[in-house]
Amino acid sequence: MDQAQKKRQAARAAIEFIEPGVRLGVGTGSTVNLFIEELARVRDRIAAVTASSRETEQRLKAAGFEVAELAETGDLDLYVDGADEANKHFHLIKGGGGALTREKVLAAASRRFVCIIDDSKWVAVLGRFPLPVEVVPMAQSYVARQMVRARGQPILRKGFVTDNGNVILDVHQLSITNPPDMEARFNQIAGVVTVGIFASRPADVILMAEDAGIKRFDRR
Ligand code: 5RP
């Protein structure tokens, strides 16, 4: 099975979490795009849906969904999203698509967070994937210096502006051995909007597609 097929499998597996009357949050990325395609089959079960990015909003609308704001839906029953990396503690790196801030808000507002990945995303230690950090534009060089002090190599994502009007620093060479600690420390840096470490609000369920099928992990 190639990676695209695995992403499709993971997206399909998430459909069983869509219960009647669900208030649903939808993440961003290529795996989620496949999930949106699958979602049409269970349209009747969805009471309300909100999106973590303009791109997802457009895709949901194109699939015939009416997309609400989080302010309208209130807290969510379920959030489904992909990840750039995941570990056995249900900690994630997210933000490869640049939607990390809204993704973090939807994950925080949700009772259950189901993460859909293929097995290339599974790691022992987070940090092989460059850590996305959303930054207020005028703070970009200051935050970059703080990242160098933390032994990272920040690279500005060129030509990219987030849905919130900010920029992204992709921080290479970090070995994230204590994700909750690094998330909390980087969150304290002035000018940082969101760190792409999802540890204080980890995933609740990981559905990982591998050659043998779907592996499901549940956080206790
Ligand atoms: C977007 C994200 C995505 O979940 C992450 O980049 C994974 O994307 P894909 O499903 O395309 O591999 O965090 O901000």
Side-chain angles (χ1 to χ4, degrees):
M1 224 191 299
D2 65 21
Q3 196 186 16
Q5 289 169 318
K6 287 178 185 172
K7 286 184 179 195
R8 170 74 68 181
Q9 292 271 311
R12 254 186 211 146
I15 293 297
E16 73 169 88
F17 290 83
I18 309 290
E19 289 173 356
V22 69
R23 286 167 305 160
L24 174 68
V26 181
T28 298
S30 58
T31 316
V32 162
N33 292 346
L34 299 170
F35 173 70
I36 293 170
E37 287 177 25
E38 301 290 329
L39 211 51
R41 291 193 277 124
V42 291
R43 183 186 306 279
D44 299 352
R45 296 187 207 160
I46 299 168
V49 61
T50 190
S52 66
S53 63
R54 296 207 195 292
E55 193 200 328
T56 290
E57 183 180 342
Q58 280 164 10
R59 284 178 183 268
L60 283 165
K61 284 182 174 165
F65 291 94
E66 200 174 302
V67 182
E69 295 294 328
L70 183 62
E72 296 167 312
T73 63
D75 283 351
L76 302 168
D77 301 301
L78 177 66
Y79 180 55
V80 177
D81 199 357
D84 300 300
E85 281 187 351
N87 71 15
K88 67 177 181 184
H89 303 293
F90 299 82
H91 298 152
L92 313 171
I93 285 185
K94 291 187 47 52
L100 62 165
T101 297
R102 295 182 186 203
E103 291 173 344
K104 211 173 245 200
V105 173
L106 294 195
S110 298
R111 199 163 44 77
R112 196 177 209 191
F113 175 9
V114 173
C115 182
I116 48 177
I117 56 169
D118 65 82
D119 54 3
S120 70
K121 310 288 183 68
W122 191 254
V123 295
V125 178
L126 299 181
R128 193 179 57 200
F129 189 91
L131 177 67
V133 181
E134 182 167 351
V135 176
V136 171
M138 61 74 73
Q140 159 193 324
S141 60
Y142 170 74
V143 175
R145 289 198 296 281
Q146 305 311 306
M147 292 296 136
V148 171
R149 285 177 67 178
R151 297 178 195 280
Q153 291 178 10
I155 295 181
L156 179 68
R157 203 177 289 184
K158 288 227 170 64
F160 186 85
V161 178
T162 70
D163 285 349
N164 314 306
N166 297 313
V167 297
I168 300 270
L169 292 174
D170 290 305
V171 187
H172 297 246
Q173 303 296 336
L174 290 172
S175 176
I176 308 174
T177 50
N178 187 338
D181 174 68
M182 187 175 280
E183 182 181 15
R185 279 192 293 115
F186 285 5
N187 268 334
Q188 296 300 318
I189 297 170
V192 167
V193 177
T194 302
V195 184
I197 300 173
F198 283 51
S200 67
R201 200 299 177 228
D204 297 307
V205 177
I206 295 178
L207 299 173
M208 180 173 76
E210 49 184 21
D211 282 327
I214 292 289
K215 209 175 222 175
R216 173 175 168 169
F217 304 90
D218 285 83
R219 186 163 67 91
R220 303 255 169 249

